[in-house]
Amino acid sequence: RMLDEANAAGLDARGYWEADTHFTLETILPEHAPDIIEGIRRRVAAGKDEILIAPYNNGMFGSMTADEVRAALGWAVSNPWGSGARDLFGKVVPFVRPQEYMFTPGLVPLLRDAGMEGLVLAYSSFPFTTFSTWVPPLPPEQRFGVTRLRTEPDGERIVLFPSVSQGDIVDNVSLEKWLLELREMQLDGRVDRDLVIHLNFDADAENWLPLSLPPGLGWLPNTGGLPEFIAAVNEYDWAEFTVPGEFLARHEPVGEVVLDRDTADGGWDGYFSWTEKHGSQEVWTRLQQSRLFEQQALD
């Protein structure tokens, strides 16, 4: 609704959407909020927004077999139940945003086999960090653009589109201040290309919505929600909204990142923040039992 209202007022405002298929697109939204699907479908058809891919079952790639990865990606695009991203929205950008940014070595060839051209992982300054603590600091052209990812020095590559969250915006004071700092890099010659602040965070985060503040405090940064971000971009003629497919069509990846370990969102990367949860240990135990039973049946 906020995007529609901004566009109706003549403002530049766009975004992309990704959601697990089985729970969100196949079960929850059709029953409880079909208007969300219709609204996104309308914006995609109008060329304003785009659709990316998330695993069909919201599953963790590191716990899947190769066949399960292929099924989770293939069914996310199109499936017999008509709930795939292409089934619902007509077209997709073949980039995958894993569940909770969970990535594991060996995944790149499977992504390519499934027709995925790229991957979204968070490169953040604080939780959720995903992979920033495992690699040397990225230069602006990679952090605020697209790069390439390998899991071994001579391995297959895939495009990586690093993202940030609202927390990074707070860390940089405000989106407007961050935009101005990146613009200064361009003006003084430190960077000679377009830069993008790639914001990706859960749709249910409260700070997408304007806060209800006492009179006189509306000037505080990061309290205006998405309308504040929209206003900041529209303030400057050198800034604009973009979406992944469009940005990637106009910008070649710069450099590469070698990431040779498991990653997930959380504190300081890896699966640590997930494995210490009691519920995760229960699920993992059941998964290991299932794998054992499967192997016994095959033997």
Side-chain angles (χ1 to χ4, degrees):
R1 177 177 56 81
M2 289 187 287
L3 291 171
D4 283 343
E5 289 174 350
N7 293 150
L11 298 176
D12 181 21
R14 308 172 68 188
Y16 73 87
W17 310 83
E18 41 83 11
D20 76 272
T21 309
H22 175 71
F23 300 102
T24 301
L25 298 179
E26 187 176 314
T27 305
I28 297 172
L29 290 185
E31 180 178 353
H32 299 286
D35 58 300
I36 292 178
I37 292 179
E38 290 302 321
I40 295 173
R41 180 184 290 132
R42 171 176 45 78
R43 291 187 59 84
V44 170
K48 296 175 181 176
D49 294 358
E50 290 183 340
I51 300 294
L52 269 63
I53 300 299
Y56 171 82
N57 60 343
N58 212 33
M60 183 173 78
F61 285 130
S63 69
M64 297 182 191
T65 65
D67 286 341
E68 288 169 345
V69 170
R70 296 186 183 99
L73 293 171
W75 286 348
V77 176
S78 181
N79 60 58
W81 310 282
S83 60
R86 183 176 294 143
D87 301 328
L88 292 174
F89 305 110
K91 53 186 176 181
V92 299
V93 176
F95 264 62
V96 59
R97 196 273 208 184
Q99 152 70 350
E100 305 295 355
Y101 291 124
M102 290 181 175
F103 176 80
T104 192
L107 184 60
V108 171
L110 296 175
L111 293 174
R112 300 303 299 266
D113 288 347
M116 298 296 113
E117 297 176 3
L119 184 71
V120 174
L121 294 177
Y123 183 87
S124 181
S125 301
F126 69 100
F128 307 133
T129 48
T130 305
F131 76 95
S132 59
T133 57
W134 300 131
V135 300
L138 298 183
E141 295 87 348
Q142 288 178 277
R143 183 180 183 187
F144 302 105
V146 284
T147 184
R148 293 184 177 89
L149 173 71
R150 299 183 194 261
T151 58
E152 53 187 349
D154 297 322
E156 192 169 353
R157 297 190 301 180
I158 196 167
V159 175
L160 171 64
F161 198 3
S163 67
V164 298
S165 72
Q166 284 99 325
D168 292 280
I169 292 176
V170 174
D171 198 42
N172 287 273
V173 181
S174 70
L175 179 64
E176 183 175 9
K177 184 174 183 295
W178 206 1
L179 286 170
L180 291 170
E181 290 174 352
L182 296 186
R183 180 60 173 167
E184 188 65 27
M185 290 184 185
Q186 295 172 324
L187 294 175
D188 66 17
R190 282 177 287 169
V191 177
D192 63 353
R193 61 171 30 234
D194 292 334
L195 301 175
V196 60
I197 296 176
H198 176 192
L199 180 60
N200 180 301
F201 204 67
D202 297 347
D204 61 357
E206 291 185 1
N207 48 9
W208 286 117
L209 303 176
L211 297 180
S212 179
L213 297 174
L217 294 181
W219 59 270
L220 286 171
N222 308 305
T223 61
L226 179 57
E228 178 182 333
F229 301 156
I230 293 172
V233 173
N234 282 270
E235 181 72 18
Y236 303 98
D237 59 7
W238 44 261
E240 66 179 10
F241 280 91
T242 188
V243 283
E246 185 176 288
F247 184 82
L248 289 155
R250 301 187 318 204
H251 300 84
E252 285 293 319
V254 176
E256 71 174 32
V257 173
V258 178
L259 188 59
D260 59 357
R261 62 187 70 211
D262 291 330
T263 69
D265 72 14
W268 322 122
D269 312 317
Y271 287 177
F272 175 78
S273 59
W274 291 89
T275 55
E276 65 183 0
K277 295 180 180 179
H278 179 68
S280 297
Q281 295 180 29
E282 286 185 329
V283 171
W284 190 260
T285 298
R286 294 180 184 178
L287 178 65
Q288 292 292 79
Q289 290 173 339
S290 174
R291 293 281 184 264
L292 179 61
F293 296 153
E294 179 185 28
Q295 190 59 51
Q296 289 173 338
L298 293 173
D299 292 343

